Amino acid sequence: YGLWSHRKRLVAVDRRGREVAALGDLGDYEDVAVSPDGRRLAVSRRDPARGQNVDIWVIDFASGIASRITSDRTDELSPTWYPDGDRLAYVTEHAGFYDFSMRPTSGGAERRLFQTGTDKTHPDLSPDGRFLVYGSANEGGFGDLHLLPLSDGATRPTALTSTAEFDESFPAFSPDSKWLAYESDESGRPEVYVRRLPSGPTRRISTSGGGMPVWRRDGKELFFHARDGMLMAVALHESEDRLETAAPQPLFDLRLIDV
């Protein structure tokens, strides 16, 4: 389909990987985020009609109708939902760096959330609406994670990780906002870790490589992709501020290829 084309289908599947619904049109999708009520999907999509820039869209599960949220001539990507389901935070590059902005899903003006002179990636909003977590490269070029309070005028994030030689990325808040899952290569390869917020102990969840963790909505499972492309599930149980984990179980092959 050309140099920039990575056209994909968006599908909903069950735990065995069986397709139960197709969503939207064939397109060059890059990020996906399910709304808090489970009824909509926020995606970033490359638009060949607008200079191949990336915009944010919202797709309604029931109707399949896609609504454009952004239309600037710069890239907007990595959407994450506010708890009310009425707003999206996302990455923008208006000022030459990847910064964070917010816009209502019903339309309206964009508002800048956080801007610095460095790129920031992979944002995730806490389900209680109090914090935004993101990744940013340190002076050595390795990714660290930072926690930003979302009070008005917040400009001082807290460093959650600060390693001179390892990359941490793809942070994801637990549904109760107490835990953070993320990807790190401190073992020598990407693995999934979970830590108690804001400064609790960290434990490794994956056993043979893994990345891009996603929590089940009740917090009782964590999903991630394995090195061989399988979707894995780990059962979780919180007891006295400790997180007990079962062995990772394979669900199905994600078939992470373009079509």
Side-chain angles (χ1 to χ4, degrees):
Y1 291 99
L3 178 64
W4 287 97
S5 182
H6 300 277
R7 304 186 75 187
K8 307 176 183 71
R9 295 175 62 228
L10 293 174
V11 297
V13 299
D14 62 18
R15 289 181 68 93
R16 295 184 180 181
R18 296 176 300 194
E19 183 177 328
V20 296
L23 306 170
D25 301 324
L26 189 68
D28 197 346
Y29 301 102
E30 299 196 0
D31 305 290
V32 176
V34 180
S35 66
D37 62 8
R39 297 179 179 179
R40 291 167 295 163
L41 199 65
V43 301
S44 60
R45 180 176 180 177
R46 192 173 295 278
D47 189 347
R50 298 179 63 83
Q52 299 293 353
N53 69 296
V54 182
D55 288 316
I56 305 295
W57 294 72
V58 168
I59 302 173
D60 181 79
F61 273 106
S63 67
I65 294 175
S67 302
R68 183 189 288 271
I69 304 301
T70 67
S71 58
D72 295 322
R73 289 292 182 178
T74 53
D75 286 343
E76 291 84 39
L77 60 156
S78 298
T80 179
W81 292 87
Y82 276 79
D84 57 18
D86 294 331
R87 296 169 291 166
L88 286 168
Y90 49 88
V91 173
T92 63
E93 61 167 358
H94 300 318
F97 292 97
Y98 283 154
D99 297 312
F100 299 129
S101 293
M102 178 274 289
R103 190 188 294 266
T105 57
S106 59
E110 179 181 271
R111 181 167 69 86
R112 194 67 50 87
L113 287 177
F114 186 52
Q115 179 178 337
T116 66
T118 58
D119 285 334
K120 296 162 288 298
T121 60
H122 307 129
D124 191 43
L125 281 163
S126 62
D128 62 12
R130 298 175 58 202
F131 297 97
L132 186 144
V133 65
Y134 65 91
S136 182
N138 57 34
E139 293 182 357
F142 294 92
D144 287 330
L145 301 181
H146 302 267
L147 191 68
L148 177 71
L150 289 180
S151 58
D152 291 340
T155 58
R156 294 186 179 181
T158 299
L160 295 177
T161 62
S162 182
T163 54
E165 54 191 23
F166 306 124
D167 277 316
E168 284 84 31
S169 58
F170 296 103
F173 283 106
S174 64
D176 60 7
S177 302
K178 293 180 180 179
W179 304 86
L180 186 74
Y182 60 95
E183 179 182 323
S184 174
D185 64 358
E186 67 177 69
S187 70
R189 64 186 177 193
E191 299 278 6
V192 174
Y193 294 78
V194 172
R195 66 174 291 176
R196 186 74 158 84
L197 292 172
S199 58
T202 299
R203 65 176 302 168
R204 196 169 106 183
I205 299 297
S206 58
T207 57
S208 301
M212 297 184 180
V214 176
W215 295 84
R216 201 170 85 180
R217 289 185 178 272
D218 61 4
K220 294 182 178 180
E221 266 188 312
L222 189 68
F223 304 98
F224 63 90
H225 77 75
R227 297 177 69 195
D228 61 1
M230 292 293 291
L231 178 66
M232 309 294 289
V234 177
L236 307 173
H237 175 70
E238 185 177 356
S239 176
E240 297 180 353
D241 286 338
R242 292 177 57 86
L243 201 63
E244 305 297 334
T245 64
Q249 300 297 318
L251 296 182
F252 58 87
D253 189 342
L254 287 167
R255 294 177 291 176
L256 297 174
I257 58 173
D258 298 327
V259 296

